Amino acid sequence: MLELADLDAFYGNSRTLQGINLTVASGEFLSVLGRNGVGKTTLMRSILGLMDRITGRLVLDGTDISALRTHQRAKAGIAYVPQGRGVLPRFTVRENLTLGTFAAKSPNGIEEWVIELFPMLRDFLNRHGGNLSGGQQQQLAIARALLAQPKVMLLDEPTEGIQPNIVEQIEDVITRLNRERGITVILVEQNVAFARRASHRFALLEKGRVVARGAIAELTDELVQRHMAV
Ligand SMILES: Nc1ncnc2c1ncn2[C@@H]1O[C@H](COP(=O)(O)OP(=O)(O)O)[C@@H](O)[C@H]1O
Ligand SMILES: [Mg+2]
């Protein structure tokens, strides 16, 4: 279980997250929704330990991880697929994947089951990350995160700007990772249809606060209209 208690996050003096309280049970799939600029990415970065300053508490399976550095949080079982994917363009696919294994608690190389999720990776192992399409880079970023052997996976807009045929495949893999492998997922999405299909629960953000939350069936069109329409 991952618990965020009274979490504030700052960029300089500006308090971007304000009093976030969220609990994600093991094996649960939570979608974090909201318009651009409300703090979704900041929330992901806070969980990872990538912010200069946060206050409040972060507890993973009973252990307070607030004081841990990012690489220690990774070893504790939190993996991140950042918005924009974060693939290293001058590293090969194999090298990008190997970076993921470094974050694992008991590294096990480039595990076959991960490659099986995205078979195209096998053909491109020696290609530079920067030469893959956006959709392929997203698949690589997900595979790299999985090689860190996460209990909790954070995915920040994984379908953003990706060609439709690959979107479907990515959605399917993310859903299966949760359903079949029991990986806890925190997904940031603008794609409400995907969030509805895949999630157990949702949290809607406005200006750094959670303004609505609940079981995914309670995510009404009216809530979507009120908090997500541009
Ligand atoms: N590196 C930064 N420095 C200062 N302000 C930032 C930085 N990154 C984001 N912000 C601000 O924090 C707020 C939340 O941003 P972000 O978490 O990226 O929102 P979202 O992911 O929901 O679009 C925005 O007002 C944004 O301008
Ligand atoms: Mg964002």
Side-chain angles (χ1 to χ4, degrees), residues 91-107:
F91 279 32
T92 64
V93 167
R94 190 194 309 276
E95 288 163 342
N96 272 280
L97 291 171
T98 300
L99 281 177
T101 69
F102 292 161
K105 195 169 177 184
S106 13

Side-chain angles (χ1 to χ4, degrees), residues 150-187:
K151 292 192 271 192
V152 181
M153 193 147 161
L154 313 179
L155 295 130
D156 198 345
E157 304 208 21
T159 65
E160 185 186 28
I162 287 174
Q163 54 276 43
N165 59 322
I166 298 192
V167 165
E168 208 171 295
Q169 204 179 336
I170 287 173
E171 291 182 2
D172 179 55
V173 165
I174 294 169
T175 309
R176 280 170 48 210
L177 290 172
N178 173 253
R179 300 289 194 276
E180 294 170 14
R181 294 213 158 236
I183 297 176
T184 306
V185 173
I186 303 179
L187 171 75

Side-chain angles (χ1 to χ4, degrees), residues 70-84:
T70 298
H71 70 272
Q72 295 169 315
R73 294 184 200 201
K75 288 242 159 41
I78 302 177
Y80 183 35
V81 180
Q83 190 167 15

Side-chain angles (χ1 to χ4, degrees), residues 71-147:
H71 70 272
Q72 295 169 315
R73 294 184 200 201
K75 288 242 159 41
I78 302 177
Y80 183 35
V81 180
Q83 190 167 15
R85 303 147 204 150
V87 163
L88 297 175
R90 288 168 179 279
F91 279 32
T92 64
V93 167
R94 190 194 309 276
E95 288 163 342
N96 272 280
L97 291 171
T98 300
L99 281 177
T101 69
F102 292 161
K105 195 169 177 184
S106 13
N108 200 15
I110 299 176
E111 293 173 69
E112 186 59 25
W113 75 269
V114 174
I115 300 289
E116 289 297 326
L117 290 174
F118 303 114
M120 69 84 196
L121 290 175
R122 197 194 317 279
D123 304 327
F124 291 170
L125 281 173
N126 296 318
R127 241 186 238 200
H128 282 136
N131 290 339
L132 303 189
S133 73
Q136 290 165 340
Q137 289 190 27
Q138 189 61 259
Q139 296 178 73
L140 171 57
I142 294 171
R144 182 179 57 186
L146 285 171
L147 292 171

